[in-house]
Amino acid sequence: MNKLTPREIVQELNRYIIGQEDAKKAVAVALRNRYRRAQLPPEMQEEVTPKNILMVGPTGVGKTEIARRLAKLVDAPFVKVEATKFTEVGYVGRDVETIVRDLIEVSIRLTKETHQARVHAKACETAEVRIADLILQPANTRKATNPIDLLLGTKPRTPDVSSEERDELARKRGEVIARLRAGELEHQIVEVEVEETTPHNDIPGTDVNMNDVLGGILPKKTKLRKVEVREARRILINEEEQNLIDMDAVYSEAIEKAEQDGIVFIDEIDKVAGKASGHGPDVSREGVQRDILPIVEGCTVQTKYGPVKTDHILFIAAGAFHVSKVSDLIPELQGRFPVRVELKPLTVEDYKRILIQPENALIRQYQALLAVDKVELEFDDSALQIIAEQAYAANEKMENIGARRLHTVLEEMLGDIAYNAGGGDCPEVKVHVDAEYVKKQMGIKDQQRDLKRYIL
């Protein structure tokens, strides 16, 4: 995926996002430049920095979705933050450095999943053997763990057994494993020893967890759970994967991945634009910009996993800029977003395409949801046209919330069907949705009254 050309990246984005070609091209080039940079000599790689992107456009036209799909496309660490959540240093609120710390947490999760996938087959084999032993030797017949062994972290001594007993145990274990693989024992109850979950106690003012600090000193508490074999398999596979992967390697790789491939989406950047009034909730708007500047410009942020450099993280900022202008941002921050793209408002035709064309199209979602209750929905072109026109008209006459208006219109139109569907003995029902049905459900005769019903 990292070797996709810009045209191929745009083609992938077209599967989920309608229109906004300029924005797609901008992010596609930014992504391809990462691959190009990786092919350069090491001394030149350090000099080539990402060309951060500023998206300007009304809400609901696809700004966030473009960035999110881009990150999924290359399996890159991605975080979305809202500029309004942060406050200037010295005021009560979130510190901008938490952006990088959140990115690292996402990167660790992605890297850990990759490492677990590599050892999954081995973990499954080991988990099967453990489940077989649990079935052959229930918990009430196993020797209890010595508290001294638990405290010192040593394994209890196992009694000596003869070779005949070992052979017999191996034979029985093989029979049980064969039955496990055949799915014959999925609902049998076994007792599994699991680690007790403890609340996440952060040390105030830091991102350090108290449980992590004391984890190497105090023994982990465990308890016995009675679960079915299928649940025990999931628990034990996860436990074995944890034992097989090297977390130090995961942390090191995750930091590298975040530094080189990380994408940060800063939404509502327009809300912190403009001069501070000197009082009230907007007092720290310009201060927030100045605090964000070093992160975007490139600095080193200390995290509990080690220092993280932000020089090559791709930042994508977005805002509607209805009240403020891009020029209201401080000049230094404007200079750190050299690529600016204007996202266009959606047309009636765009709304119609959004309903049916993307792979996660709304019409497909509703058809799949109601098919669970044996309701087959069928839309004709006239119905889609009316729905698109109503969403467009509602956005024109009231607050423009973009494609999200389609959710409101569809929920209102299909509300009766969704409510009445369901029941164990209900017969299969086929509902043909045409223009007349849509007009009847939405009360289009009284246009003004109709539009007020879709205010969120």
Side-chain angles (χ1 to χ4, degrees):
M1 282 298 184
N2 290 326
K3 297 182 181 180
L4 289 174
T5 66
R7 289 188 301 275
E8 291 170 336
I9 293 170
V10 171
Q11 288 174 3
E12 290 293 322
L13 293 176
N14 284 340
R15 295 166 54 194
Y16 301 97
I17 302 158
I18 299 299
Q20 313 303 352
E21 297 303 320
D22 292 342
K24 291 176 185 175
K25 289 178 181 178
V27 297
V29 170
L31 195 63
R32 180 64 178 182
N33 281 342
R34 286 188 158 179
Y35 170 74
R36 293 165 177 160
R37 172 179 168 272
Q39 311 309 310
L40 300 177
E43 61 274 10
M44 189 174 290
Q45 287 185 22
E46 289 300 315
E47 301 299 324
V48 179
T49 56
K51 305 303 181 287
N52 298 321
I53 301 168
L54 177 62
M55 295 184 183
V56 180
T59 184
V61 296
K63 300 188 295 293
T64 306
E65 188 68 8
I66 288 173
R68 191 168 64 86
R69 290 293 174 184
L70 188 72
K72 281 189 174 183
L73 188 60
V74 293
D75 196 28
F78 171 79
V79 292
K80 174 185 177 293
V81 298
E82 295 178 3
T84 52
K85 298 292 184 185
F86 300 96
T87 59
E88 183 180 0
V89 173
Y91 292 89
V92 177
R94 294 192 70 191
D95 178 6
V96 294
E97 289 190 352
T98 59
I99 296 173
V100 180
R101 296 189 181 108
D102 290 344
L103 185 69
I104 284 295
E105 294 291 346
V106 173
S107 184
I108 287 173
R109 178 178 57 79
L110 292 174
T111 307
K112 187 176 177 181
E113 288 174 356
T114 303
H115 282 243
Q116 286 178 322
R118 295 173 187 166
V119 300
H120 182 72
K122 177 65 177 176
C124 287
E125 293 177 6
T126 309
E128 280 183 342
V129 173
R130 291 181 62 183
I131 292 173
D133 289 341
L134 291 175
I135 293 172
L136 292 171
Q137 190 179 15
N140 55 8
T141 64
R142 293 196 298 270
K143 185 177 180 180
T145 304
N146 190 326
I148 300 298
D149 290 328
L150 184 63
L151 183 62
L152 298 177
T154 57
K155 293 183 178 180
R157 293 181 59 188
T158 55
D160 296 331
V161 294
S162 64
S163 59
E164 292 82 2
E165 290 175 323
R166 283 198 298 269
D167 293 342
E168 178 64 15
L169 180 61
R171 184 187 64 79
K172 291 181 178 180
R173 182 186 291 151
E175 292 176 355
V176 174
I177 290 176
R179 294 182 64 190
L180 285 171
R181 291 176 179 172
E184 299 176 6
L185 304 174
E186 292 297 286
H187 299 291
Q188 182 166 332
I189 301 297
V190 293
E191 280 192 326
V192 183
E193 191 174 20
V194 298
E195 183 181 337
E196 287 189 8
T197 55
T198 54
H200 194 85
N201 299 318
D202 285 338
I203 299 175
T206 72
D207 64 341
V208 179
N209 182 12
M210 182 68 74
N211 298 328
D212 295 337
V213 175
L214 300 177
I217 303 173
L218 301 176
K220 295 180 179 179
K221 295 181 179 180
T222 60
K223 62 180 180 181
L224 287 176
R225 281 186 59 195
K226 290 185 177 182
V227 295
E228 292 184 343
V229 164
R230 58 182 179 181
E231 175 65 10
R233 183 184 288 107
R234 185 192 64 79
I235 294 171
L236 295 179
I237 287 176
N238 183 65
E239 187 178 311
E240 290 299 327
E241 287 174 346
Q242 298 283 353
N243 295 334
L244 289 170
I245 62 176
D246 180 1
M247 286 307 298
D248 289 334
V250 169
Y251 296 147
S252 176
E253 187 178 326
I255 290 175
E256 178 75 12
K257 191 177 182 70
E259 290 179 339
Q260 302 301 323
D261 300 332
I263 299 175
V264 173
F265 183 82
I266 305 176
D267 202 4
E268 296 185 353
I269 193 73
D270 57 315
K271 300 300 190 299
V272 296
K275 295 290 183 181
S277 59
H279 57 82
D282 296 332
V283 68
S284 66
R285 287 192 301 174
E286 188 172 321
V288 172
Q289 296 181 58
R290 297 196 178 278
D291 287 346
I292 290 176
L293 181 61
I295 304 292
V296 178
E297 193 172 26
C299 66
T300 301
V301 177
Q302 294 296 331
T303 72
K304 62 183 178 183
Y305 306 106
V308 179
K309 296 176 66 177
T310 67
D311 301 67
H312 297 101
I313 294 173
L314 176 63
F315 288 87
I316 302 175
F321 289 96
H322 288 315
V323 178
S324 58
K325 303 184 294 293
V326 175
S327 57
D328 291 332
L329 294 169
I330 59 174
E332 299 90 338
L333 192 60
Q334 291 182 52
R336 291 302 164 185
F337 291 91
V339 181
R340 298 181 189 176
V341 289
E342 297 275 348
L343 283 87
K344 303 176 181 63
L346 298 172
T347 64
V348 173
E349 186 60 29
D350 289 333
Y351 286 121
K352 188 175 177 181
R353 292 169 60 198
I354 289 170
L355 286 171
I356 55 174
Q357 283 191 11
E359 291 195 4
N360 61 337
L362 290 176
I363 294 298
R364 295 180 190 173
Q365 293 180 26
Y366 279 95
Q367 286 174 331
L369 285 171
L370 290 172
V372 174
D373 286 323
K374 301 179 182 179
V375 176
E376 182 182 348
L377 278 180
E378 186 180 85
F379 291 80
D380 65 17
D381 191 71
S382 64
L384 299 175
Q385 184 70 25
I386 294 289
I387 294 170
E389 289 174 357
Q390 287 298 295
Y392 179 83
N395 279 336
E396 286 292 302
K397 294 194 175 184
M398 295 177 292
E399 187 70 26
N400 187 354
I401 60 173
R404 297 183 181 94
R405 185 73 66 181
L406 291 170
H407 290 274
T408 316
V409 174
L410 284 171
E411 281 292 331
E412 179 70 21
M413 189 195 73
L414 298 173
D416 289 343
I417 297 175
Y419 178 78
N420 293 309
D425 301 326
C426 62
E428 292 187 9
V429 178
K430 187 173 183 178
V431 179
H432 181 76
V433 180
D434 55 12
E436 291 303 318
Y437 181 89
V438 176
K439 290 178 180 179
K440 179 181 177 182
Q441 291 297 115
M442 298 172 64
I444 290 182
K445 290 181 180 180
D446 187 349
Q447 186 75 6
Q448 187 63 33
R449 185 189 65 185
D450 166 65
L451 293 180
K452 287 181 179 180
R453 295 165 65 190
Y454 307 119
I455 299 177
L456 292 180

